[in-house]
């Protein structure tokens, strides 16, 4: 797939005329505002050709402290922007306590950021988030990030001409323009790579993998779905150790990982969930998921019912692309080529399934080792996501406002 994004600069953020009604930002404290919060992106992007509506039931679960284990170590406040009675934007202020504890930082996050092409709306939302974090003594604001690097992360800054792959965020070109206009700067870029698997893998990779298999006595095996709980423990151990030194990383709790595995087992394909073992020890793991967005794009409003379930069951048979979602090797086994073997076997197994390609990532822009490996497979960058940052004034002037519950009483 080619990157069809335009090289032309994105449009400048629009500002309302002076006579426009004021923008009012309100916390999400009730059932009805929570529904508006969830539904807003589906209305905002419904006519965008590259928009793929995520499953509404999954988005709903993400906001629920009762169903999302992230809330055991984090807090979030959700806000809506109104122009008179119309919702024109949304945002969340996110305090990831685990991240700050592990990194000895005072960082606040913002996420679930969607608004009209209107700078005043964006300003009102982000001002509210900055105030919320300043009250808590945070020194730096980062985002967009829906909770952490383990969730939707980043804002598209290049590659707007193609739909996002499964479990990737979506935004329009004006969003990064708004952020820059409001004083945000680049913190880090994340790369998504397009991989064409219609052609055989490069001979150089095949020869390299053969040497590594012989030298390391490495075994590659698919995940055992019948022993998923045991396998999940191994995956979490690899995951938390393989990425612990990466920029922005925060470890996943046992409850978070269990929830993730429960979700992914519905779509995972064993031949594309591969362990690398040496002397019986699982030292690496690679997970590639089918691009469910090929199905979701035809489901109105991200709803499974009444007809979405049939589109899901039928559409899965036609999926021909995937996303290499997770790949990691324990630190003591790195620089031995195990990741090349995992990626090659994933490539070959995808071809056996009749797939035509997919995407790899995201990867950090400065992760030279993994980026060089992906380049060896002939891949090219198809999307660039960005995490923005802005320093916050460390001047709390009043007690922190209470955390906004994701669920509340019904209002009119």
């Amino acid at each position: 797939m080619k990157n069809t994004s335009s090289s032309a600069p994105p449009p400048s953020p629009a500002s309302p005329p002076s006579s426009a009604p004021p923008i009012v930002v309100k916390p999400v404290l009730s059932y009805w505002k929570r529904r508006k919060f969830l539904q807003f992106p589906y209305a905002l992007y419904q006519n965008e050709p590259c928009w793929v509506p995520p499953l509404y039931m999954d988005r709903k679960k993400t906001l629920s402290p009762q169903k999302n284990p992230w809330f055991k170590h984090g807090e979030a406040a959700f806000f809506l922007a109104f122009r008179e009675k119309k919702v024109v934007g949304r945002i969340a202020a996110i305090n990831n306590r685990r991240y700050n504890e592990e990194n000895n930082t005072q960082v606040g996050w913002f996420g679930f950021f969607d608004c009209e092409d209107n700078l005043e709306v964006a300003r009102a939302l982000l001002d509210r988030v900055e105030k919320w974090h300043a009250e808590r003594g945070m020194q730096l604001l980062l985002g967009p990030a829906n909770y952490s690097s383990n969730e939707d992360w980043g804002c598209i800054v290049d590659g707007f001409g193609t739909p996002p792959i499964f479990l990737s965020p979506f935004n329009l070109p004006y969003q990064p323009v708004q952020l820059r206009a409001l004083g945000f700067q680049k913190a880090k870029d994340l790369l998504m790579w397009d991989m064409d698997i219609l052609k055989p893998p490069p001979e150089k990779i095949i020869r390299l993998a053969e040497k590594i298999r012989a030298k390391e006595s490495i075994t590659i095996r698919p995940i055992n779905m019948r022993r998923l709980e045991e396998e999940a423990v191994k995956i979490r151990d690899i995951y938390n150790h393989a990425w612990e030194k990466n920029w922005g990383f925060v470890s996943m709790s046992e409850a978070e990982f269990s929830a993730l595995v429960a979700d992914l087992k519905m779509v995972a394909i064993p031949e594309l969930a591969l362990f690398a073992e040496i002397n019986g020890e699982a030292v690496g793991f690679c997970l590639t998921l089918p691009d469910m967005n090929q199905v979701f794009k035809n489901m109105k409003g991200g709803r499974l019912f009444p007809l979405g379930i049939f589109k899901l069951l039928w559409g899965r048979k036609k999926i021909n692309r995937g996303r290499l979602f997770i790949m990691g090797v324990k630190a003591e086994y790195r620089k031995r080529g195990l990741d090349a073997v995992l990626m090659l076997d994933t490539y070959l197994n995808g071809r056996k399934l009749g797939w035509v390609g997919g995407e790899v990532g995201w990867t950090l822009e400065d992760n030279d080792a993994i980026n060089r490996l992906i380049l060896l497979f002939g891949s090219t960058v198809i999307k660039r996501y960005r995490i923005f940052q802005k320093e916050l004034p460390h001047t709390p002037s009043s007690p922190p406002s209470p955390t906004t519950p994701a669920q509340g009483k019904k209002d009119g």
Side-chain angles (χ1 to χ4, degrees):
M1 181 183 293
K2 294 182 180 179
N3 187 343
T4 58
S5 66
S6 171
S7 59
S12 300
S15 296
S18 57
S19 59
I23 305 300
V24 179
V25 177
K26 299 180 181 180
V28 176
L29 294 170
S30 68
Y31 169 82
W32 291 112
K33 285 192 176 69
R34 179 171 171 268
R35 281 191 63 183
K36 291 179 184 293
F37 188 95
L38 285 164
Q39 293 170 352
F40 178 70
Y42 296 87
L44 180 66
Y45 303 128
Q46 61 181 329
N47 296 320
E48 297 298 330
C50 288
W51 158 250
V52 180
L55 278 183
Y56 186 84
M57 59 187 294
D58 284 347
R59 297 290 86 185
K60 185 176 179 181
K61 183 170 65 175
T62 297
L63 297 188
S64 171
Q66 290 75 35
K67 296 181 179 180
N68 185 348
W70 178 87
F71 285 93
K72 294 180 180 179
H73 61 261
E75 61 176 335
F78 303 90
F79 301 99
L80 285 169
F82 290 85
R83 182 186 296 114
E84 295 183 326
K85 293 185 178 181
K86 181 185 178 183
V87 177
V88 293
R90 70 170 195 170
I91 202 167
I94 296 165
N95 179 12
N96 192 327
R97 292 191 294 266
R98 181 189 291 272
Y99 178 88
N100 285 327
E101 290 168 0
E102 292 182 353
N103 294 280
N104 192 29
T105 54
Q106 291 177 290
V107 169
W109 301 84
F110 71 93
F112 300 96
F113 176 47
D114 302 281
C115 75
E116 293 183 347
D117 185 7
N118 185 304
L119 185 60
E120 295 311 309
V121 176
R123 187 193 309 278
L125 288 166
L126 285 157
D127 281 352
R128 189 62 174 264
V129 167
E130 290 175 25
K131 179 177 181 294
W132 192 89
H133 280 301
E135 290 174 348
R136 286 157 176 77
M138 300 302 171
Q139 299 177 353
L140 188 68
L141 180 61
L142 287 169
N146 295 356
Y147 301 129
S148 75
S149 60
N150 302 315
E151 313 282 345
D152 295 348
W153 223 37
C155 167
I156 304 172
V157 294
D158 187 33
F160 293 99
T162 57
I165 198 86
F166 184 44
L167 298 179
S168 295
F170 177 84
N171 60 271
L172 293 174
Y174 61 78
Q175 187 177 101
V177 180
Q178 291 175 336
L179 291 170
R180 287 191 292 266
L182 295 173
F184 285 83
Q185 299 177 336
K186 172 185 170 180
K188 188 74 69 173
D189 277 1
L190 320 170
L191 308 179
M192 290 294 296
W193 301 80
D194 182 60
M195 183 176 286
D196 176 8
I197 64 171
L198 285 175
K199 54 189 178 183
E203 286 294 331
K204 182 177 181 179
I205 290 291
I206 295 175
R207 292 193 299 269
L208 175 64
E210 289 175 350
K211 292 179 181 179
I212 294 167
R213 290 182 208 271
K215 180 181 179 181
E216 302 292 345
S217 300
I218 180 178
T219 299
I220 305 294
R221 68 166 179 87
I223 192 171
N224 187 336
M225 299 299 285
R226 295 182 178 181
R227 305 176 65 178
L228 192 56
E229 289 187 7
E230 295 177 30
E231 301 281 59
V233 173
K234 298 174 184 177
I235 298 170
R236 177 172 172 256
D237 179 57
I238 295 170
Y239 183 84
N240 283 341
H241 284 91
W243 283 275
E244 63 180 346
K245 301 299 183 183
N246 282 1
W247 182 89
F249 177 74
V250 59
S251 64
M252 294 189 76
S253 67
E254 184 176 347
E256 282 183 288
F257 208 83
S258 295
L260 176 65
V261 169
D263 288 340
L264 295 184
K265 75 177 181 181
M266 305 299 292
V267 298
I269 299 171
E271 298 90 338
L272 296 174
L274 303 176
F275 282 100
E277 295 182 336
I278 294 180
N279 297 323
E281 178 188 358
V283 299
F285 181 71
C286 184
L287 173 65
T288 298
L289 298 172
D291 181 17
M292 299 303 297
N293 279 5
Q294 290 183 291
V295 181
F296 294 162
K297 68 180 181 181
N298 297 317
M299 295 170 59
K300 187 175 181 180
R303 303 280 186 173
L304 273 178
F305 302 101
L307 301 178
I309 186 66
F310 298 107
K311 292 180 179 179
L312 177 63
L313 295 174
W314 179 252
R316 285 194 62 169
K317 301 176 183 179
K318 299 182 178 181
I319 292 174
N320 63 358
R321 302 177 72 250
R323 176 185 176 185
L324 198 160
F325 184 61
I326 296 174
M327 186 169 71
V329 176
K330 290 183 178 180
E332 58 269 36
Y333 292 92
R334 288 181 195 154
K335 299 182 180 180
R336 293 161 66 169
L338 275 62
D339 46 4
V341 180
L342 281 167
M343 189 173 289
L344 175 61
D345 282 17
T346 295
Y347 191 108
L348 295 172
N349 289 350
R351 284 171 55 86
K352 291 177 183 177
L353 290 172
W355 286 6
V356 300
E359 295 182 24
V360 180
W362 49 262
T363 66
L364 293 171
E365 61 178 333
D366 52 3
N367 189 339
D368 294 335
I370 190 64
N371 291 339
R372 281 197 299 267
L373 173 61
I374 297 171
L375 281 168
L376 286 176
F377 280 85
S379 298
T380 55
V381 175
I382 190 170
K383 273 188 172 59
R384 182 179 292 266
Y385 293 86
R386 181 163 296 167
I387 299 294
F388 286 87
Q389 65 181 10
K390 184 179 182 180
E391 292 186 5
L392 295 174
H394 187 52
T395 55
S397 57
S398 60
S401 54
T403 299
T404 302
Q407 292 176 317
K409 298 180 180 179
K410 295 187 178 183
D411 62 2

